[in-house]
Amino acid sequence: MKERKIGRPRTFDADQALDKAMRVFWEKGYEGSSLPELTEAMGMNRPSLYAVFGNKENLFKLALERYGATHDPLFNAALEEKTARGVVEHFLRGNADAQTEEENPHGCLVINGALACSDDALPIRNSLIERRAAAEARLRDRFDRAKAEGDLPEDFCASQMARYVMTMSNGMAVQAGAGATRQQLQEVVDQVLRGWPGA
């Protein structure tokens, strides 16, 4: 009797498996996603998961990279808007739509991935914090440029506004994950834009 080999099936698709892992992490967060849930969603056993993706932490990092590849273009496009107000509107309205897509879990993986976690998951939490801080820094730089170009008043505080906009975006993600509708999130964006300088 031949020994049965344990491994990934012949039809295994690493990209497809990673997409499925990303959805589990997106919906349940890092610690809320168990290995049995991940392996079931990915259609592979635990030895195969470790062989292809390494441990759970590395799998999450790969899933986060994949998430960024499909969601970072929204932020990049927003930064290219001609005015600072246009940047904010593009970014927040795009997020409101992306965070409430019917075919995907609601909310944002970068926010929901590790809002609360144990000490074991601190490296994941810290990597997400760094990612959010990097986005805030890019937004601040864009507002500084807007000031230099005369698009924003001289007394405009780029760092405070960048923090405010990112806080609104992060809060919208949490609300979306808790069941807020697209219309409700867009109404939040309306309120932010009403308070924009010169609005």
Short mmCIF file of all heavy atoms in Angstrom, two decimals, residues 135-198:
data_model
loop_
_atom_site.label_atom_id
_atom_site.label_comp_id
_atom_site.label_asym_id
_atom_site.label_seq_id
_atom_site.Cartn_x
_atom_site.Cartn_y
_atom_site.Cartn_z
N ALA A 135 0.33 56.71 6.12
CA ALA A 135 -0.71 57.34 5.31
C ALA A 135 -1.00 58.75 5.81
O ALA A 135 -1.18 59.68 5.01
CB ALA A 135 -1.99 56.49 5.35
N GLU A 136 -1.04 58.91 7.13
CA GLU A 136 -1.28 60.24 7.70
C GLU A 136 -0.17 61.21 7.33
O GLU A 136 -0.42 62.38 7.02
CB GLU A 136 -1.40 60.14 9.22
CG GLU A 136 -1.72 61.46 9.89
CD GLU A 136 -1.89 61.33 11.39
OE1 GLU A 136 -2.58 60.38 11.83
OE2 GLU A 136 -1.34 62.17 12.13
N ALA A 137 1.07 60.73 7.31
CA ALA A 137 2.20 61.58 6.95
C ALA A 137 2.11 62.02 5.49
O ALA A 137 2.41 63.18 5.16
CB ALA A 137 3.51 60.83 7.19
N ARG A 138 1.68 61.14 4.62
CA ARG A 138 1.52 61.50 3.21
C ARG A 138 0.42 62.54 3.04
O ARG A 138 0.55 63.47 2.23
CB ARG A 138 1.21 60.27 2.38
CG ARG A 138 2.36 59.27 2.26
CD ARG A 138 1.99 58.11 1.38
NE ARG A 138 1.78 58.55 0.00
CZ ARG A 138 1.18 57.82 -0.93
NH1 ARG A 138 0.68 56.63 -0.61
NH2 ARG A 138 1.04 58.28 -2.16
N LEU A 139 -0.65 62.39 3.80
CA LEU A 139 -1.74 63.36 3.73
C LEU A 139 -1.28 64.72 4.26
O LEU A 139 -1.60 65.76 3.67
CB LEU A 139 -2.93 62.85 4.54
CG LEU A 139 -4.25 63.61 4.39
CD1 LEU A 139 -4.71 63.64 2.94
CD2 LEU A 139 -5.33 62.97 5.27
N ARG A 140 -0.53 64.72 5.34
CA ARG A 140 0.01 65.97 5.89
C ARG A 140 0.90 66.67 4.86
O ARG A 140 0.80 67.90 4.67
CB ARG A 140 0.82 65.67 7.15
CG ARG A 140 1.42 66.92 7.83
CD ARG A 140 2.51 66.52 8.79
NE ARG A 140 3.61 65.89 8.07
CZ ARG A 140 4.25 64.79 8.49
NH1 ARG A 140 3.89 64.17 9.61
NH2 ARG A 140 5.25 64.30 7.78
N ASP A 141 1.74 65.92 4.20
CA ASP A 141 2.62 66.50 3.19
C ASP A 141 1.81 67.11 2.05
O ASP A 141 2.18 68.16 1.50
CB ASP A 141 3.57 65.44 2.64
CG ASP A 141 4.61 64.99 3.66
OD1 ASP A 141 4.78 65.69 4.68
OD2 ASP A 141 5.24 63.94 3.43
N ARG A 142 0.70 66.45 1.69
CA ARG A 142 -0.14 66.99 0.62
C ARG A 142 -0.78 68.30 1.05
O ARG A 142 -0.90 69.24 0.24
CB ARG A 142 -1.21 65.95 0.25
CG ARG A 142 -2.19 66.42 -0.83
CD ARG A 142 -1.48 66.69 -2.14
NE ARG A 142 -2.41 67.19 -3.15
CZ ARG A 142 -2.77 68.46 -3.29
NH1 ARG A 142 -2.26 69.39 -2.46
NH2 ARG A 142 -3.62 68.82 -4.23
N PHE A 143 -1.19 68.40 2.31
CA PHE A 143 -1.77 69.65 2.82
C PHE A 143 -0.70 70.75 2.90
O PHE A 143 -0.99 71.92 2.64
CB PHE A 143 -2.39 69.43 4.19
CG PHE A 143 -3.66 68.60 4.17
CD1 PHE A 143 -4.08 67.94 5.30
CD2 PHE A 143 -4.42 68.50 3.02
CE1 PHE A 143 -5.25 67.18 5.30
CE2 PHE A 143 -5.59 67.75 2.99
CZ PHE A 143 -6.00 67.09 4.13
N ASP A 144 0.50 70.40 3.26
CA ASP A 144 1.60 71.38 3.27
C ASP A 144 1.83 71.94 1.87
O ASP A 144 2.07 73.14 1.69
CB ASP A 144 2.89 70.73 3.79
CG ASP A 144 2.95 70.68 5.31
OD1 ASP A 144 2.36 71.57 5.96
OD2 ASP A 144 3.60 69.77 5.85
N ARG A 145 1.76 71.05 0.89
CA ARG A 145 1.93 71.50 -0.49
C ARG A 145 0.80 72.44 -0.89
O ARG A 145 1.02 73.46 -1.56
CB ARG A 145 1.94 70.29 -1.43
CG ARG A 145 2.43 70.62 -2.83
CD ARG A 145 2.31 69.41 -3.73
NE ARG A 145 1.06 69.43 -4.48
CZ ARG A 145 0.55 68.39 -5.11
NH1 ARG A 145 1.14 67.22 -5.05
NH2 ARG A 145 -0.58 68.51 -5.80
N ALA A 146 -0.41 72.11 -0.43
CA ALA A 146 -1.56 72.96 -0.73
C ALA A 146 -1.39 74.35 -0.13
O ALA A 146 -1.78 75.36 -0.74
CB ALA A 146 -2.84 72.30 -0.22
N LYS A 147 -0.83 74.43 1.07
CA LYS A 147 -0.56 75.73 1.69
C LYS A 147 0.45 76.51 0.87
O LYS A 147 0.28 77.72 0.63
CB LYS A 147 0.00 75.52 3.11
CG LYS A 147 -1.04 75.15 4.14
CD LYS A 147 -0.41 74.93 5.50
CE LYS A 147 0.22 76.19 6.05
NZ LYS A 147 0.76 75.99 7.41
N ALA A 148 1.51 75.84 0.43
CA ALA A 148 2.55 76.50 -0.36
C ALA A 148 2.01 77.01 -1.68
O ALA A 148 2.46 78.04 -2.21
CB ALA A 148 3.71 75.54 -0.60
N GLU A 149 1.01 76.31 -2.21
CA GLU A 149 0.42 76.71 -3.50
C GLU A 149 -0.70 77.73 -3.34
O GLU A 149 -1.26 78.18 -4.34
CB GLU A 149 -0.12 75.46 -4.20
CG GLU A 149 0.96 74.46 -4.61
CD GLU A 149 0.40 73.15 -5.13
OE1 GLU A 149 -0.82 72.91 -4.96
OE2 GLU A 149 1.17 72.36 -5.72
N GLY A 150 -1.04 78.09 -2.10
CA GLY A 150 -2.09 79.07 -1.86
C GLY A 150 -3.49 78.48 -1.85
O GLY A 150 -4.47 79.23 -1.82
N ASP A 151 -3.58 77.16 -1.88
CA ASP A 151 -4.89 76.51 -1.87
C ASP A 151 -5.49 76.50 -0.47
O ASP A 151 -6.71 76.43 -0.31
CB ASP A 151 -4.73 75.07 -2.39
CG ASP A 151 -6.03 74.29 -2.37
OD1 ASP A 151 -7.08 74.87 -2.72
OD2 ASP A 151 -6.00 73.10 -2.01
N LEU A 152 -4.65 76.59 0.54
CA LEU A 152 -5.08 76.62 1.93
C LEU A 152 -4.51 77.85 2.62
O LEU A 152 -3.43 78.32 2.25
CB LEU A 152 -4.62 75.34 2.67
CG LEU A 152 -5.28 74.04 2.25
CD1 LEU A 152 -4.58 72.86 2.92
CD2 LEU A 152 -6.77 74.04 2.60
N PRO A 153 -5.22 78.38 3.60
CA PRO A 153 -4.73 79.59 4.30
C PRO A 153 -3.43 79.33 5.05
O PRO A 153 -3.11 78.18 5.40
CB PRO A 153 -5.88 79.93 5.26
CG PRO A 153 -6.65 78.66 5.42
CD PRO A 153 -6.53 77.93 4.12
N GLU A 154 -2.69 80.39 5.31
CA GLU A 154 -1.39 80.27 5.96
C GLU A 154 -1.48 79.70 7.37
O GLU A 154 -0.55 79.03 7.84
CB GLU A 154 -0.68 81.63 5.99
CG GLU A 154 -0.28 82.15 4.61
CD GLU A 154 0.46 83.47 4.70
OE1 GLU A 154 0.69 83.94 5.84
OE2 GLU A 154 0.83 84.02 3.65
N ASP A 155 -2.60 79.97 8.05
CA ASP A 155 -2.73 79.49 9.43
C ASP A 155 -3.32 78.07 9.51
O ASP A 155 -3.61 77.57 10.59
CB ASP A 155 -3.60 80.44 10.25
CG ASP A 155 -5.02 80.58 9.69
OD1 ASP A 155 -5.27 80.07 8.58
OD2 ASP A 155 -5.86 81.20 10.37
N PHE A 156 -3.47 77.43 8.37
CA PHE A 156 -3.99 76.07 8.32
C PHE A 156 -2.94 75.12 8.89
O PHE A 156 -1.78 75.14 8.49
CB PHE A 156 -4.31 75.70 6.87
CG PHE A 156 -4.93 74.35 6.67
CD1 PHE A 156 -6.31 74.21 6.63
CD2 PHE A 156 -4.14 73.22 6.51
CE1 PHE A 156 -6.89 72.97 6.42
CE2 PHE A 156 -4.72 71.99 6.31
CZ PHE A 156 -6.09 71.85 6.27
N CYS A 157 -3.33 74.25 9.82
CA CYS A 157 -2.40 73.29 10.42
C CYS A 157 -2.52 71.95 9.69
O CYS A 157 -3.49 71.21 9.88
CB CYS A 157 -2.68 73.11 11.91
SG CYS A 157 -1.50 72.01 12.72
N ALA A 158 -1.54 71.68 8.87
CA ALA A 158 -1.59 70.47 8.04
C ALA A 158 -1.58 69.20 8.88
O ALA A 158 -2.31 68.25 8.57
CB ALA A 158 -0.41 70.46 7.08
N SER A 159 -0.79 69.18 9.93
CA SER A 159 -0.69 67.96 10.74
C SER A 159 -2.00 67.67 11.48
O SER A 159 -2.45 66.52 11.54
CB SER A 159 0.46 68.06 11.73
OG SER A 159 0.28 69.15 12.62
N GLN A 160 -2.63 68.72 12.01
CA GLN A 160 -3.89 68.52 12.73
C GLN A 160 -5.00 68.07 11.78
O GLN A 160 -5.80 67.19 12.11
CB GLN A 160 -4.30 69.80 13.45
CG GLN A 160 -3.44 70.13 14.66
CD GLN A 160 -3.89 71.40 15.35
OE1 GLN A 160 -4.90 72.00 15.00
NE2 GLN A 160 -3.14 71.83 16.35
N MET A 161 -5.04 68.68 10.60
CA MET A 161 -6.09 68.30 9.65
C MET A 161 -5.87 66.89 9.12
O MET A 161 -6.83 66.13 8.93
CB MET A 161 -6.15 69.30 8.49
CG MET A 161 -7.27 69.01 7.50
SD MET A 161 -8.92 68.95 8.27
CE MET A 161 -9.22 70.70 8.58
N ALA A 162 -4.61 66.51 8.88
CA ALA A 162 -4.33 65.16 8.43
C ALA A 162 -4.77 64.14 9.48
O ALA A 162 -5.36 63.11 9.17
CB ALA A 162 -2.84 65.00 8.13
N ARG A 163 -4.51 64.47 10.74
CA ARG A 163 -4.91 63.57 11.83
C ARG A 163 -6.44 63.49 11.91
O ARG A 163 -7.00 62.42 12.12
CB ARG A 163 -4.34 64.06 13.16
CG ARG A 163 -4.51 63.08 14.32
CD ARG A 163 -3.82 63.59 15.57
NE ARG A 163 -2.43 63.94 15.31
CZ ARG A 163 -1.93 65.17 15.43
NH1 ARG A 163 -2.71 66.17 15.81
NH2 ARG A 163 -0.66 65.40 15.17
N TYR A 164 -7.09 64.62 11.72
CA TYR A 164 -8.55 64.66 11.76
C TYR A 164 -9.16 63.82 10.65
O TYR A 164 -10.06 62.99 10.88
CB TYR A 164 -9.02 66.11 11.65
CG TYR A 164 -10.50 66.29 11.40
CD1 TYR A 164 -11.44 65.98 12.38
CD2 TYR A 164 -10.96 66.77 10.18
CE1 TYR A 164 -12.80 66.14 12.15
CE2 TYR A 164 -12.31 66.95 9.94
CZ TYR A 164 -13.23 66.63 10.92
OH TYR A 164 -14.57 66.80 10.69
N VAL A 165 -8.66 63.99 9.43
CA VAL A 165 -9.20 63.26 8.29
C VAL A 165 -8.97 61.76 8.45
O VAL A 165 -9.87 60.94 8.19
CB VAL A 165 -8.58 63.76 6.97
CG1 VAL A 165 -9.00 62.87 5.80
CG2 VAL A 165 -9.01 65.21 6.71
N MET A 166 -7.79 61.38 8.91
CA MET A 166 -7.51 59.96 9.11
C MET A 166 -8.36 59.39 10.24
O MET A 166 -8.81 58.23 10.17
CB MET A 166 -6.03 59.74 9.40
CG MET A 166 -5.11 60.07 8.22
SD MET A 166 -5.54 59.22 6.68
CE MET A 166 -5.34 57.51 7.16
N THR A 167 -8.60 60.20 11.26
CA THR A 167 -9.47 59.75 12.36
C THR A 167 -10.88 59.51 11.84
O THR A 167 -11.54 58.52 12.22
CB THR A 167 -9.49 60.77 13.49
OG1 THR A 167 -8.17 60.91 14.03
CG2 THR A 167 -10.44 60.36 14.61
N MET A 168 -11.37 60.40 10.98
CA MET A 168 -12.69 60.22 10.40
C MET A 168 -12.73 58.96 9.54
O MET A 168 -13.68 58.16 9.61
CB MET A 168 -13.08 61.44 9.57
CG MET A 168 -13.24 62.73 10.37
SD MET A 168 -14.42 62.58 11.74
CE MET A 168 -15.91 62.16 10.85
N SER A 169 -11.70 58.75 8.74
CA SER A 169 -11.64 57.58 7.88
C SER A 169 -11.61 56.29 8.71
O SER A 169 -12.34 55.34 8.41
CB SER A 169 -10.39 57.65 6.98
OG SER A 169 -10.23 56.46 6.24
N ASN A 170 -10.79 56.29 9.75
CA ASN A 170 -10.70 55.10 10.60
C ASN A 170 -12.02 54.84 11.32
O ASN A 170 -12.46 53.69 11.44
CB ASN A 170 -9.58 55.29 11.63
CG ASN A 170 -8.21 55.41 10.99
OD1 ASN A 170 -8.03 55.09 9.82
ND2 ASN A 170 -7.24 55.88 11.75
N GLY A 171 -12.65 55.91 11.79
CA GLY A 171 -13.93 55.77 12.46
C GLY A 171 -15.01 55.25 11.53
O GLY A 171 -15.87 54.44 11.93
N MET A 172 -14.97 55.71 10.29
CA MET A 172 -15.93 55.21 9.30
C MET A 172 -15.75 53.71 9.08
O MET A 172 -16.73 52.97 8.91
CB MET A 172 -15.76 55.97 7.98
CG MET A 172 -16.29 57.40 8.02
SD MET A 172 -15.71 58.41 6.61
CE MET A 172 -16.30 57.42 5.22
N ALA A 173 -14.51 53.25 9.09
CA ALA A 173 -14.24 51.83 8.91
C ALA A 173 -14.82 51.01 10.05
O ALA A 173 -15.41 49.95 9.84
CB ALA A 173 -12.74 51.58 8.80
N VAL A 174 -14.65 51.51 11.27
CA VAL A 174 -15.22 50.83 12.43
C VAL A 174 -16.73 50.80 12.34
O VAL A 174 -17.37 49.76 12.59
CB VAL A 174 -14.76 51.51 13.74
CG1 VAL A 174 -15.48 50.90 14.94
CG2 VAL A 174 -13.26 51.38 13.91
N GLN A 175 -17.33 51.92 11.96
CA GLN A 175 -18.78 52.00 11.83
C GLN A 175 -19.29 51.06 10.72
O GLN A 175 -20.33 50.41 10.88
CB GLN A 175 -19.21 53.44 11.55
CG GLN A 175 -19.02 54.39 12.71
CD GLN A 175 -19.87 54.01 13.90
OE1 GLN A 175 -21.05 53.69 13.75
NE2 GLN A 175 -19.28 54.03 15.08
N ALA A 176 -18.56 51.01 9.63
CA ALA A 176 -18.96 50.11 8.53
C ALA A 176 -18.93 48.67 9.00
O ALA A 176 -19.84 47.88 8.70
CB ALA A 176 -18.03 50.30 7.33
N GLY A 177 -17.89 48.31 9.75
CA GLY A 177 -17.80 46.96 10.27
C GLY A 177 -18.92 46.63 11.24
O GLY A 177 -19.29 45.47 11.42
N ALA A 178 -19.47 47.68 11.88
CA ALA A 178 -20.56 47.49 12.85
C ALA A 178 -21.94 47.58 12.20
O ALA A 178 -22.95 47.49 12.89
CB ALA A 178 -20.44 48.53 13.96
N GLY A 179 -21.96 47.79 10.87
CA GLY A 179 -23.25 47.77 10.18
C GLY A 179 -23.73 49.07 9.59
O GLY A 179 -24.83 49.14 9.04
N ALA A 180 -22.94 50.15 9.69
CA ALA A 180 -23.36 51.42 9.09
C ALA A 180 -23.51 51.26 7.58
O ALA A 180 -22.73 50.55 6.94
CB ALA A 180 -22.34 52.51 9.41
N THR A 181 -24.50 51.93 7.02
CA THR A 181 -24.75 51.83 5.58
C THR A 181 -23.87 52.81 4.82
O THR A 181 -23.28 53.74 5.39
CB THR A 181 -26.21 52.14 5.26
OG1 THR A 181 -26.47 53.53 5.57
CG2 THR A 181 -27.15 51.26 6.07
N ARG A 182 -23.79 52.61 3.52
CA ARG A 182 -23.04 53.51 2.66
C ARG A 182 -23.59 54.93 2.75
O ARG A 182 -22.83 55.90 2.83
CB ARG A 182 -23.08 53.01 1.22
CG ARG A 182 -22.34 53.91 0.25
CD ARG A 182 -22.22 53.25 -1.11
NE ARG A 182 -21.38 52.05 -1.04
CZ ARG A 182 -21.09 51.29 -2.09
NH1 ARG A 182 -21.57 51.61 -3.29
NH2 ARG A 182 -20.33 50.23 -1.96
N GLN A 183 -24.92 55.06 2.75
CA GLN A 183 -25.52 56.38 2.83
C GLN A 183 -25.14 57.08 4.13
O GLN A 183 -24.85 58.28 4.15
CB GLN A 183 -27.05 56.28 2.72
CG GLN A 183 -27.75 57.64 2.79
CD GLN A 183 -29.25 57.53 2.65
OE1 GLN A 183 -29.77 56.49 2.24
NE2 GLN A 183 -29.97 58.60 2.98
N GLN A 184 -25.16 56.34 5.22
CA GLN A 184 -24.80 56.93 6.52
C GLN A 184 -23.36 57.42 6.52
O GLN A 184 -23.06 58.49 7.05
CB GLN A 184 -25.03 55.91 7.64
CG GLN A 184 -26.50 55.65 7.92
CD GLN A 184 -26.71 54.50 8.88
OE1 GLN A 184 -25.91 53.56 8.95
NE2 GLN A 184 -27.80 54.56 9.66
N LEU A 185 -22.47 56.64 5.92
CA LEU A 185 -21.07 57.06 5.86
C LEU A 185 -20.90 58.27 4.95
O LEU A 185 -20.11 59.18 5.25
CB LEU A 185 -20.19 55.90 5.38
CG LEU A 185 -20.14 54.68 6.29
CD1 LEU A 185 -19.16 53.65 5.73
CD2 LEU A 185 -19.74 55.05 7.71
N GLN A 186 -21.63 58.30 3.84
CA GLN A 186 -21.55 59.45 2.95
C GLN A 186 -22.08 60.71 3.64
O GLN A 186 -21.59 61.82 3.38
CB GLN A 186 -22.33 59.18 1.66
CG GLN A 186 -21.73 58.11 0.78
CD GLN A 186 -20.42 58.53 0.10
OE1 GLN A 186 -19.93 59.64 0.30
NE2 GLN A 186 -19.86 57.66 -0.70
N GLU A 187 -23.03 60.56 4.51
CA GLU A 187 -23.54 61.72 5.27
C GLU A 187 -22.48 62.24 6.23
O GLU A 187 -22.40 63.45 6.49
CB GLU A 187 -24.81 61.33 6.01
CG GLU A 187 -26.01 61.13 5.08
CD GLU A 187 -27.21 60.52 5.79
OE1 GLU A 187 -27.08 60.15 6.98
OE2 GLU A 187 -28.28 60.41 5.16
N VAL A 188 -21.66 61.34 6.76
CA VAL A 188 -20.53 61.77 7.59
C VAL A 188 -19.56 62.59 6.76
O VAL A 188 -19.06 63.63 7.20
CB VAL A 188 -19.82 60.54 8.20
CG1 VAL A 188 -18.52 60.96 8.90
CG2 VAL A 188 -20.72 59.83 9.20
N VAL A 189 -19.29 62.13 5.55
CA VAL A 189 -18.40 62.87 4.65
C VAL A 189 -18.97 64.25 4.35
O VAL A 189 -18.25 65.25 4.32
CB VAL A 189 -18.16 62.09 3.34
CG1 VAL A 189 -17.22 62.88 2.42
CG2 VAL A 189 -17.57 60.71 3.64
N ASP A 190 -20.28 64.32 4.12
CA ASP A 190 -20.94 65.61 3.89
C ASP A 190 -20.64 66.58 5.03
O ASP A 190 -20.35 67.76 4.80
CB ASP A 190 -22.45 65.43 3.76
CG ASP A 190 -22.86 64.69 2.49
OD1 ASP A 190 -22.05 64.63 1.56
OD2 ASP A 190 -23.99 64.16 2.48
N GLN A 191 -20.71 66.07 6.25
CA GLN A 191 -20.50 66.92 7.42
C GLN A 191 -19.05 67.40 7.49
O GLN A 191 -18.78 68.55 7.82
CB GLN A 191 -20.85 66.14 8.70
CG GLN A 191 -20.85 66.98 9.97
CD GLN A 191 -21.89 68.08 9.91
OE1 GLN A 191 -23.01 67.88 9.44
NE2 GLN A 191 -21.52 69.27 10.38
N VAL A 192 -18.13 66.52 7.17
CA VAL A 192 -16.72 66.90 7.16
C VAL A 192 -16.48 68.01 6.14
O VAL A 192 -15.79 69.01 6.43
CB VAL A 192 -15.82 65.68 6.81
CG1 VAL A 192 -14.37 66.11 6.58
CG2 VAL A 192 -15.88 64.64 7.92
N LEU A 193 -17.06 67.89 4.98
CA LEU A 193 -16.84 68.87 3.91
C LEU A 193 -17.51 70.20 4.22
O LEU A 193 -17.02 71.26 3.79
CB LEU A 193 -17.34 68.31 2.57
CG LEU A 193 -16.58 67.06 2.06
CD1 LEU A 193 -17.25 66.53 0.80
CD2 LEU A 193 -15.12 67.40 1.80
N ARG A 194 -18.61 70.18 4.97
CA ARG A 194 -19.25 71.44 5.37
C ARG A 194 -18.33 72.28 6.26
O ARG A 194 -18.40 73.50 6.26
CB ARG A 194 -20.55 71.16 6.12
CG ARG A 194 -21.70 70.68 5.26
CD ARG A 194 -23.01 70.68 6.00
NE ARG A 194 -24.01 69.88 5.34
CZ ARG A 194 -24.36 68.66 5.67
NH1 ARG A 194 -23.80 68.09 6.74
NH2 ARG A 194 -25.28 67.99 5.01
N GLY A 195 -17.49 71.60 7.00
CA GLY A 195 -16.58 72.31 7.90
C GLY A 195 -15.24 72.64 7.28
O GLY A 195 -14.35 73.15 7.97
N TRP A 196 -15.09 72.38 5.99
CA TRP A 196 -13.81 72.64 5.35
C TRP A 196 -13.57 74.15 5.22
O TRP A 196 -14.51 74.90 4.96
CB TRP A 196 -13.77 71.98 3.97
CG TRP A 196 -12.40 71.99 3.36
CD1 TRP A 196 -11.94 72.81 2.38
CD2 TRP A 196 -11.31 71.16 3.74
NE1 TRP A 196 -10.63 72.55 2.11
CE2 TRP A 196 -10.20 71.53 2.93
CE3 TRP A 196 -11.14 70.15 4.68
CZ2 TRP A 196 -8.97 70.92 3.03
CZ3 TRP A 196 -9.90 69.52 4.79
CH2 TRP A 196 -8.83 69.90 3.98
N PRO A 197 -12.34 74.62 5.40
CA PRO A 197 -12.06 76.06 5.29
C PRO A 197 -12.56 76.65 3.98
O PRO A 197 -12.24 76.13 2.89
CB PRO A 197 -10.51 76.11 5.35
CG PRO A 197 -10.15 74.89 6.13
CD PRO A 197 -11.14 73.84 5.74
N GLY A 198 -13.37 77.67 4.09
CA GLY A 198 -13.88 78.33 2.90
C GLY A 198 -15.10 77.68 2.32
O GLY A 198 -15.62 78.14 1.29
#
